[in-house]
Amino acid sequence: MVEQTNAPYDFRSDTLTKPTPEMLEAMLHAEVGDDVYDEDPTIHKLEKYIVELTGKEAALFCASSTMSNQIAARTHLPKPPHSIICDDRAHIFRFEAGGLAIISQTMVYPITPKNGVYITAEEVRAKIVPAGDPHFSPTRLIEIENTLGGSIMPIEEMEKIKALANEKQIKVHLDGARLWNVCAATNTEMKAWTQHVDSVNLCLSKGIGAPVGAVLAGTKEFIEDAKFYKKLMGGGWRQAGVLAAAALVAIETIWPKMSQDHDRAKKIEQVFAKYGFSTLIPVDTNMVMVNAKGGNLDVAKLSLECKKLGVIIRDSSPDVIRFVVHHHIDDKAVDLIDQALKATLDN
Ligand SMILES: *Cc1c(COP(=O)(O)O)cnc(C)c1O
């Protein structure tokens, strides 16, 4: 059990943001209806907005990215035996309570990327399990996560993976929980990325800062099927327009400022570099993975020094410290990290 914290700065995750006064105000005045009857106008507004943003035909407001990803997998995988290819570190594989096995009855063929950052079309090609042989569970889905660990998979690689998937008649799902960050960091339209996948999940409660929610987008037919699994998983959440209202404000007010998070992540990387510590993967967006083990950095000690200054960091691993920057983190927080690190190394 992690202790409840009211520390001013919390770097453990970008899920830790709290709704802003504007979001709460929008929730108070949201026009709502019953989502199971498909009658919530604010949810419709959010879904329509996501349709425009992603260039997909339809969208579905879900309770979480886990729910959205699991619905996507199940919808793409109607009839076992089947299998999915993804990055070995993918959220859908490692951090969703074994949902792929339980809900989709699927085999998983994970790839440890050789470049250490993202899987390549070439690696995916080598993993594809063919159909037509009763020994096998054929590949029916390729899952991409972007960003993964805060690093960006280049758009060219997504394009290559989609071309391969088309050639082999395999679907592609993008876990774009943090695709907002990709767009902010590269100054590109979301459509540019989502055109290379069949379905996409976008998280609203990470860097975007809404209190709850995620959206799944894809073809009309896909979303019609997905609605069934959303209900089945207990996702019929009635007057959830209050949450959609907060999400719309979050997108409008937080997303345009997101590159500030990325600048601060870079500054954190520089603070560690100043004392000789490196990061494990590129700091492309809002996450910094500090190589603690390689640098002989005492994570517990640093965590304690941070706490003294009102800063909470993730100290669960002695090997790596993951800093996640979000809109409650300002420049002062970065200075405090510098102070804490100095104090850790000084005594
Ligand atoms: C956080 C995260 C999820 C799960 O999000 P929840 O809303 O907490 O279920 C899924 N995928 C990625 C890439 C994430 O970072």
Side-chain angles (χ1 to χ4, degrees):
M1 192 72 186
V2 178
E3 151 207 343
Q4 168 78 32
T5 164
N6 285 311
Y9 299 116
D10 200 330
F11 282 94
R12 289 172 302 163
S13 178
D14 45 6
T15 58
L16 292 155
T17 52
K18 301 198 175 151
T20 61
E22 294 107 295
M23 290 180 213
L24 295 171
E25 188 65 26
M27 292 172 83
L28 198 60
H29 301 292
E31 208 187 321
V32 295
D34 193 317
D35 183 46
V36 180
Y37 286 61
D38 201 10
E39 288 177 3
D40 189 303
T42 311
I43 292 181
H44 287 165
K45 194 172 163 196
L46 173 66
E47 290 173 345
K48 188 161 171 280
Y49 179 80
I50 298 295
V51 161
E52 282 162 18
L53 208 57
T54 58
K56 296 294 170 204
E57 289 173 9
L60 187 64
F61 185 36
C62 297
S64 67
S65 284
T66 300
M67 178 185 269
S68 175
N69 281 334
Q70 292 298 327
I71 290 172
R74 183 63 186 81
T75 308
H76 283 306
L77 299 169
K79 187 171 163 280
H82 43 217
S83 61
I84 166 172
I85 292 173
C86 62
D87 192 301
D88 156 59
R89 304 159 298 167
H91 196 284
I92 201 170
F93 171 48
R94 282 196 185 260
F95 306 111
E96 297 187 4
L100 288 177
I102 298 167
I103 298 166
S104 294
Q105 300 181 25
T106 185
M107 297 292 286
V108 182
Y109 288 84
I111 294 171
T112 305
K114 278 197 209 81
N115 62 27
V117 184
Y118 56 86
I119 58 175
T120 63
E122 206 179 310
E123 288 169 323
V124 172
R125 186 182 286 279
K127 273 278 181 205
I128 290 175
V129 181
D133 182 328
H135 289 90
F136 300 156
S137 56
T139 307
R140 300 289 184 210
L141 185 61
I142 298 164
E143 195 260 6
I144 294 170
E145 189 173 311
N146 208 2
T147 67
L148 199 166
S151 302
I152 297 174
M153 172 191 280
I155 203 158
E156 297 77 23
E157 204 60 51
M158 285 184 58
E159 198 174 345
K160 280 187 206 158
I161 291 174
K162 183 60 173 131
L164 168 65
N166 287 347
E167 176 197 323
K168 302 282 184 185
Q169 293 183 306
I170 297 169
K171 299 288 187 204
V172 180
H173 173 68
L174 170 61
D175 182 357
R178 296 191 178 90
L179 193 63
W180 309 99
N181 297 83
V182 174
C183 298
T186 55
N187 208 5
T188 47
E189 281 196 4
M190 195 172 273
K191 274 184 213 164
W193 302 82
T194 51
Q195 66 174 325
H196 300 306
V197 297
D198 296 289
S199 59
V200 55
N201 162 58
L202 301 170
C203 200
L204 299 163
S205 63
K206 293 258 166 84
I208 281 293
V212 177
V215 192
L216 179 63
T219 64
K220 273 206 175 82
E221 192 189 353
F222 173 82
I223 292 297
E224 279 313 306
D225 289 348
K227 280 180 187 173
F228 172 83
Y229 293 111
K230 176 181 158 184
K231 184 76 178 86
L232 181 150
M233 291 181 201
W237 53 351
R238 308 299 177 187
Q239 286 75 22
V242 285
L243 299 169
L248 281 161
V249 172
I251 296 168
E252 195 182 313
T253 59
I254 310 293
W255 196 23
K257 304 187 296 186
M258 197 172 248
S259 60
Q260 293 177 14
D261 297 347
H262 304 162
D263 294 342
R264 290 186 178 117
K266 273 278 174 214
K267 280 184 191 159
I268 292 171
E269 182 184 33
Q270 284 156 13
V271 165
F272 279 90
K274 193 168 74 176
Y275 297 96
F277 299 102
S278 61
T279 47
L280 293 164
I281 51 175
V283 181
D284 292 334
T285 58
N286 68 328
M287 288 196 236
V288 188
M289 305 286 188
V290 175
N291 184 358
K293 190 183 182 187
N296 269 324
L297 177 61
D298 186 337
V299 177
K301 202 161 153 192
L302 176 62
S303 177
L304 207 69
E305 291 297 340
C306 282
K307 227 173 243 167
K308 286 185 203 164
L309 300 172
V311 175
I312 306 295
I313 64 166
R314 177 183 280 225
D315 57 10
S316 52
S317 163
D319 301 339
V320 51
I321 316 173
R322 188 189 81 159
F323 290 87
V324 189
V325 182
H326 47 74
H327 74 97
H328 294 336
I329 300 292
D330 57 19
D331 289 333
K332 185 174 165 226
V334 178
D335 291 340
L336 293 174
I337 298 275
D338 194 335
Q339 274 182 48
L341 183 56
K342 188 165 187 306
T344 305
L345 301 172
D346 276 354
N347 55 56

